[in-house]
Amino acid sequence: MVTMTTNVTDLYPTRGATEVATPRKDPVVWGSPDAPGPVSPGDLQSLDRDGFLAIDQLIGPDEVGVYQRELERLTTDPAIRADERSIVEPQSKEIRSVFEVHKISEIFANLVRDERVVGRARQILGSDVYVHQSRINVKPGFGASGFYWHSDFETWHAEDGLANMRTISVSIALTENYDTNGGLMIMPGSHKTFLGCAGETPKDNYKRSLQMQDAGIPSDEGLTKMASEYGIKLFTGKAGSATWFDCNCMHGSGDNITPFPRSNVFIVFNSVENTAVDPFAAPIRRPDFIGARDFTPVR
């Protein structure tokens, strides 16, 4: 199913001649604070304030082993490697990401449907949800490259056509995240300001951006100002831990030059009341496996 429209107000201008900061116009927690669900009222308040919520153990050690074996199967399968949904490292030519993993793998599809996962997304977003994007990220040791600072919503708004900030992501660790092997970094509180980036979006930008992002990157001055105001939080945790974070958090991760791999599964839930329209700042929308046009609620 594809929904395309142009009659939607652009609340968050980006990819213009200059970089523009816009105060957030949407809630962070859309659900009622006292609605039942797996997220406590205190944690919802923390999410609203900081933009993220860390969970020490979302899935247990036995389950972690199942997902680790599935990740190994997917990243060593020649057919998966040849699939357009697989992105390889520019230098090592090793698999960096496999997109739409919940459609490729029934094991990861079951994880998406797990109430510990989708139940939190429904509670935070206050509605049924669908998967806007899913992928496994692989950072093997000895040189896997990082992801530069960015707001996911800036790209999803500009190139996928998400009008409002009603989207939440979860990164579930499948290997231990140390403070040295390229872990996730977030600027706490940065989700309250949308930083519209300068520069037009090239056609088929996604082909390059999935390896090395150029469009939608904040300026050094903008990042310095945000980091000075909000600081930077680095996330560590054992396999099975998870980080939920708002779509507009300024975040990134460094290279992994240690011997210790860092891999996770990344799931983006979007409200069924915030389905994608025309891109707001790109000549064409990205492929469905990167920005879904199937808005079927997760059941």
Side-chain angles (χ1 to χ4, degrees), residues 1 45 47 49 95 100 141 152 159-160 188-189 219 253 290:
M1 176 175 65
Q45 290 179 347
L47 175 65
R49 180 189 67 237
I95 286 182
E100 217 169 43
D152 286 330
E159 300 185 42
D160 296 343
S219 68
S253 64
I290 300 175

Side-chain angles (χ1 to χ4, degrees), residues 118-169:
V118 70
R120 284 178 164 87
R122 291 193 194 105
Q123 184 183 3
I124 292 165
L125 300 181
S127 70
D128 278 334
V129 297
Y130 71 94
V131 176
H132 177 69
Q133 185 186 104
S134 73
R135 67 179 187 260
I136 48 174
N137 287 333
V138 184
K139 273 192 179 180
F142 300 118
S145 55
F147 293 86
Y148 198 70
W149 290 106
H150 64 286
S151 154
D152 286 330
F153 181 75
E154 193 280 336
T155 298
W156 299 338
H157 182 70
E159 300 185 42
D160 296 343
L162 295 191
N164 295 100
M165 296 179 184
R166 198 170 180 180
T167 315
I168 191 82
S169 301

Side-chain angles (χ1 to χ4, degrees), residues 176-218:
E176 184 155 0
N177 285 226
Y178 301 101
D179 58 2
T180 53
N181 65 342
L184 174 68
M185 296 181 289
I186 293 178
M187 297 184 187
S190 60
H191 62 305
K192 295 296 182 72
T193 301
F194 176 77
L195 193 60
C197 300
E200 293 185 356
T201 309
K203 185 178 180 181
D204 289 342
N205 176 58
Y206 80 93
K207 292 180 180 179
R208 174 172 171 80
S209 68
L210 296 178
Q211 291 181 329
M212 186 174 294
Q213 193 166 354
D214 289 326
I217 290 295

Side-chain angles (χ1 to χ4, degrees), residues 4-134:
M4 301 291 284
T5 180
T6 55
N7 298 320
V8 178
T9 302
D10 185 357
L11 299 176
Y12 301 104
T14 190
R15 311 279 174 104
T18 59
E19 190 173 73
V20 179
T22 302
R24 185 188 185 107
K25 302 179 187 299
D26 293 307
V28 178
V29 177
W30 290 73
S32 172
D34 55 1
V39 187
S40 71
D43 281 346
L44 288 175
Q45 290 179 347
S46 295
L47 175 65
D48 182 76
R49 180 189 67 237
D50 299 327
F52 59 80
L53 181 62
I55 299 174
D56 289 338
Q57 188 177 74
L58 182 65
I59 58 176
D62 291 344
E63 297 170 287
V64 167
V66 173
Y67 297 118
Q68 287 175 336
R69 289 189 291 274
E70 182 68 351
L71 181 144
E72 177 69 14
R73 183 187 73 80
L74 293 172
T75 56
T76 57
D77 184 338
I80 298 296
R81 182 183 179 85
D83 193 295
E84 67 172 342
R85 291 172 288 188
S86 293
I87 311 301
V88 300
E89 287 278 357
Q91 304 277 335
S92 68
K93 305 303 180 184
E94 295 295 324
I95 286 182
R96 173 186 177 96
S97 300
V98 179
F99 281 82
E100 217 169 43
V101 71
H102 71 295
K103 292 191 174 180
I104 294 174
S105 164
E106 186 61 27
I107 288 175
F108 283 112
N110 289 336
L111 180 62
V112 167
R113 294 190 291 261
D114 191 310
E115 275 301 310
R116 293 171 296 179
V117 178
V118 70
R120 284 178 164 87
R122 291 193 194 105
Q123 184 183 3
I124 292 165
L125 300 181
S127 70
D128 278 334
V129 297
Y130 71 94
V131 176
H132 177 69
Q133 185 186 104
S134 73

